[in-house]
């Protein structure tokens, strides 16, 4: 199959490289000239474990190439994936479909022969209908079908997720398109990944329903964590106690600073907006959004409480800035709100992240340190915000020796209180406070 990927970001580049690895001929297109120039030189513009080797081997094998010339690439294609961004629209929170529609008209003008156009971007229900309309109006002669194929990969484990997905969802009604999509994903379903064919609208909604549910699950355990702190229970034991129930499942039950990243915040918001527009409001998701928004600043206040209620002029070391480990993605990272809350209260913040520093520098005005111990130099408190492996086995003696006062706030429950306290630290986790308010 001749595959074109329009948009070569976290999703487009990973999907393109994986499709090439399956044996397809793939061209990744992007408007960002510097991104394509870098890729042509073998430089991967994002941090994603294993991606550099996968790209390199497939480029070498002649199956993967990069261009800014969409027209030439699309003309030869059997299938064109749209993997451009769908951020929140400024002002109202709906998904901004500007990039998807712009890509659709560019693709429309370039189509030659029967071509399947696939939206891999996360798009609200009905977007496929609009993409179809745009293509038909731009190029009335075009022979094409529009398919929905949402992507479920997670940054940090993207290649594994793409190559061994729990399922592949494909929304379509055209039989020729079904044959093409079956061929594109053949290596995966031969490998037992279920290929689920649905209507296009259903497929579009599945993606939002999945992200909405997962965001709700995280938010649920975060609220349980708050309750644990009040009643003297341990949220990690609660997670285990409920997660072992097969109907609930143990994943996404880790209490923390609230969900962030490039997907959950914008997708929950877009789902809530779509549901309101169709007069079927999703109150659970609306509440999830509100609870999560409050939580991020509340985590900043938790740090302030850990140093006795006043952080003005004090130094806070923030360990981990990205929204999760193994990515350099800073979009909507909880660290942004935590840092802002601390700065608003007058703290001096020093941050360190193994991969996210470059992106973080565009987003926050703090001191950037060269490592966790450098960040903690002279600090009144250290806050573990992102659970990078590098922070899982900190040399606590060394950490204590460089800090002004040994206080550790662990927003990911990486450590156990007794082991940290044994080194002379005051420790605060999430959902673990022993103080009980009797009612
Ligand atoms: N990042 C994830 O973990 C993830 C997971 C699943 C789904 N998604 C969804 O996938 C989509 C893409 O997300 P992403 O994180 O890869 O975004 P991204 O911002 O990393 O990449 C998008 C790329 O598209 C390019 N682009 C925009 N318009 C273009 C055009 N007309 N022609 C060519 N290139 C164009 C941009 O330059 C950018 O490089 C979004 O809808 C997102 O919700 C993302």
């Amino acid at each position: 199959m001749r595959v074109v990927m329009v948009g070569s970001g976290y999703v487009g580049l990973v999907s393109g490289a994986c499709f090439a690895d399956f044996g397809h001929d793939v061209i990744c297109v992007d408007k960002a000239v510097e991104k394509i120039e870098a890729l042509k030189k073998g430089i991967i513009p994002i941090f994603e474990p294993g991606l550099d080797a996968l790209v390199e081997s497939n480029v070498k094998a002649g199956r993967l190439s990069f261009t800014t010339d969409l027209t030439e690439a699309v003309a030869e294609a059997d299938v064109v994936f749209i993997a451009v961004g769908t951020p929140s629209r400024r002002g109202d929170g709906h998904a901004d479909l500007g990039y998807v529609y712009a890509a659709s008209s560019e693709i429309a003008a370039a189509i030659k022969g029967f071509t399947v156009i696939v939206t891999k971007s996360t798009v609200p229900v009905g977007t496929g209908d609009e993409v179809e309309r745009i293509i038909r109006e731009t190029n009335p002669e075009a022979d094409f079908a529009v398919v929905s194929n949402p992507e479920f990969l997670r940054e940090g484990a993207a290649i594994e997720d793409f190559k061994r997905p729990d399922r592949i969802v494909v929304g379509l009604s055209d039989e020729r398109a079904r044959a093409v999509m079956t061929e594109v994903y053949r290596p995966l379903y031969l490998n037992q990944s279920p290929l689920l064919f649905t209507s296009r609208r259903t497929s579009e909604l599945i993606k939002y329903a999945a992200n909405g549910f997962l965001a709700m699950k995280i938010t649920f355990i975060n609220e349980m964590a708050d309750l644990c702190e009040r009643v003297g229970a341990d949220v990690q034991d609660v997670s285990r106690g409920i997660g072992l129930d097969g109907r609930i499942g143990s994943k996404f039950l880790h209490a923390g600073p609230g969900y962030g990243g490039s997907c959950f915040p914008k997708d929950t918001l877009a789902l809530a907006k779509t549901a309101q527009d169709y007069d079927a409001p999703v109150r659970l998701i609306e509440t999830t959004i509100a609870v999560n928004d409050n939580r991020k600043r509340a985590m900043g206040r938790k740090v302030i409480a850990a140093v006795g209620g006043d952080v003005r002029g004090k130094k806070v070391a923030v360990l981990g800035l990205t929204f999760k480990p193994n990515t350099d993605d800073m979009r909507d990272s909880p660290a942004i709100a935590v840092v802002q809350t601390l700065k608003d209260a007058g703290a001096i913040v020093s941050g360190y992240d193994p991969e996210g520093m470059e992106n973080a520098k565009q987003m926050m005005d703090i001191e950037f340190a060269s490592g966790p111990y450098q960040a903690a130099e002279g600090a009144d408190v250290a806050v573990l915000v992102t659970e990078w492996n590098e922070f899982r086995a900190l040399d606590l003696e060394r950490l204590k020796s460089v800090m002004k006062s040994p206080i550790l706030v662990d927003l990911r429950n990486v450590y156990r209180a007794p082991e940290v306290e044994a080194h002379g630290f005051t420790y605060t986790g999430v959902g673990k406070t022993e103080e009980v308010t009797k009612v």
Side-chain angles (χ1 to χ4, degrees):
M1 286 271 133
R2 286 162 302 179
V3 177
V4 167
M5 197 59 67
V6 178
S8 305
Y10 288 87
V11 166
L13 188 56
V14 169
S15 310
C18 288
F19 279 138
D21 213 44
F22 296 165
H24 300 307
D25 281 324
V26 181
I27 305 176
C28 286
V29 180
D30 206 287
K31 271 207 164 341
V33 179
E34 66 289 351
K35 213 174 242 189
I36 294 300
E37 286 310 314
L39 285 164
K40 281 182 172 168
K41 287 188 202 132
I43 302 163
I44 308 297
I46 55 169
F47 175 75
E48 179 59 47
L51 188 56
D52 42 3
L54 191 73
V55 167
E56 191 189 338
S57 65
N58 283 284
V59 168
K60 250 192 201 138
R63 290 188 297 260
L64 179 62
S65 61
F66 307 99
T67 184
T68 51
D69 187 346
L70 181 143
T71 306
E72 198 184 321
V74 167
E76 300 290 316
D78 299 304
V79 50
V80 179
F81 286 86
I82 299 175
V84 300
T86 48
S88 280
R89 192 162 66 190
R90 258 167 205 268
D92 66 5
H94 276 279
D96 180 350
L97 295 171
Y99 301 105
V100 171
Y101 294 156
S104 304
S105 24
E106 286 177 61
I107 292 164
I111 290 174
K112 294 221 164 59
F114 177 65
T115 310
V116 180
I117 319 295
V118 189
T119 45
K120 196 164 247 327
S121 298
T122 302
V123 293
V125 174
T127 304
D129 302 2
E130 188 60 15
V131 169
E132 189 171 314
R133 191 190 62 75
I134 290 171
I135 297 175
R136 187 165 297 122
E137 282 182 7
T138 313
N139 184 353
E141 309 300 315
D143 186 13
F144 70 100
V146 174
V147 171
S148 161
N149 169 223
E151 183 50 56
F152 297 95
L153 64 77
R154 294 163 301 169
E155 287 173 19
I159 294 169
E160 177 67 14
D161 282 353
F162 194 91
K163 289 191 162 182
R164 266 174 274 278
D166 292 336
R167 78 305 204 186
I168 303 145
V169 175
V170 181
L172 48 71
S173 52
D174 183 295
E175 279 310 310
R176 288 182 301 168
R178 177 193 279 259
V180 169
M181 293 306 285
T182 305
E183 190 56 34
V184 165
Y185 278 110
R186 181 182 300 281
L188 286 189
Y189 71 78
L190 287 180
N191 225 0
Q192 310 281 303
S193 292
L195 194 51
L196 177 67
F197 285 102
T198 70
S199 76
R200 200 164 59 198
R201 285 184 165 238
T202 304
S203 164
E204 288 168 338
L205 186 56
I206 286 171
K207 174 65 191 178
Y208 281 100
N211 276 2
F213 190 86
L214 292 171
M216 199 169 63
K217 203 171 172 190
I218 294 174
T219 306
F220 174 84
I221 202 65
N222 283 340
E223 286 205 311
M224 285 299 126
D226 287 349
L227 183 56
C228 283
E229 292 180 9
R230 302 292 179 282
V231 302
D234 183 317
V235 76
Q236 282 179 297
D237 290 342
V238 172
S239 291
R240 194 163 153 72
I242 62 173
L244 286 169
D245 184 328
R247 295 168 300 177
I248 295 173
S250 60
K251 295 193 175 144
F252 276 72
L253 282 180
H254 301 289
Y259 62 78
S262 62
C263 292
F264 286 179
K266 77 172 176 65
D267 292 348
T268 45
L269 204 52
L271 174 58
K273 292 291 172 186
T274 302
Q276 283 164 11
D277 281 355
Y278 283 87
D279 221 0
V282 283
R283 299 274 187 243
L284 289 171
I285 300 301
E286 289 173 7
T287 304
T288 296
I289 295 165
V291 170
N292 193 66
D293 279 349
N294 284 334
R295 186 167 188 83
K296 296 181 195 173
R297 280 186 77 87
M299 291 300 111
R301 293 195 294 275
K302 192 181 187 74
V303 178
I304 296 169
V307 292
D310 185 7
V311 83
R312 186 159 301 277
K314 293 191 173 153
K315 181 172 170 184
V316 182
V318 174
L319 309 186
L321 300 170
T322 51
F323 80 100
K324 65 170 171 181
N326 294 322
T327 181
D328 59 351
D329 201 341
M330 280 293 300
R331 289 177 284 186
D332 262 308
S333 171
I336 298 169
V338 172
V339 163
Q340 194 57 54
T341 309
L342 292 166
K343 285 185 65 184
D344 291 348
I348 301 149
V349 179
S350 175
Y352 168 70
D353 190 277
E355 295 291 341
M357 301 274 268
E358 283 314 307
N359 288 333
K361 283 176 186 166
Q362 324 288 322
M363 293 186 165
M364 44 175 75
D365 184 17
I366 58 169
E367 290 171 12
F368 289 95
S370 56
Y373 306 102
Q374 288 76 6
E377 198 88 45
D380 296 273
V381 55
V383 192
L384 203 162
V385 180
T386 315
E387 69 279 31
W388 284 90
N389 274 343
E390 180 174 341
F391 305 145
R392 286 184 182 276
L394 288 169
D395 178 342
L396 293 171
E397 279 304 318
R398 183 174 169 199
L399 191 68
K400 192 177 114 186
S401 72
V402 299
M403 289 180 71
K404 193 163 155 202
S405 54
I407 302 174
L408 180 64
V409 179
D410 177 3
L411 298 183
R412 298 290 182 173
N413 287 339
V414 163
Y415 290 93
R416 302 256 159 209
E419 60 174 315
V420 184
E421 285 161 0
H423 289 276
F425 276 88
T426 306
Y427 176 84
T428 310
V430 174
K432 301 180 126 314
T433 314
E434 269 104 56
E435 284 164 31
V436 184
T437 318
K438 283 232 166 73
V439 260

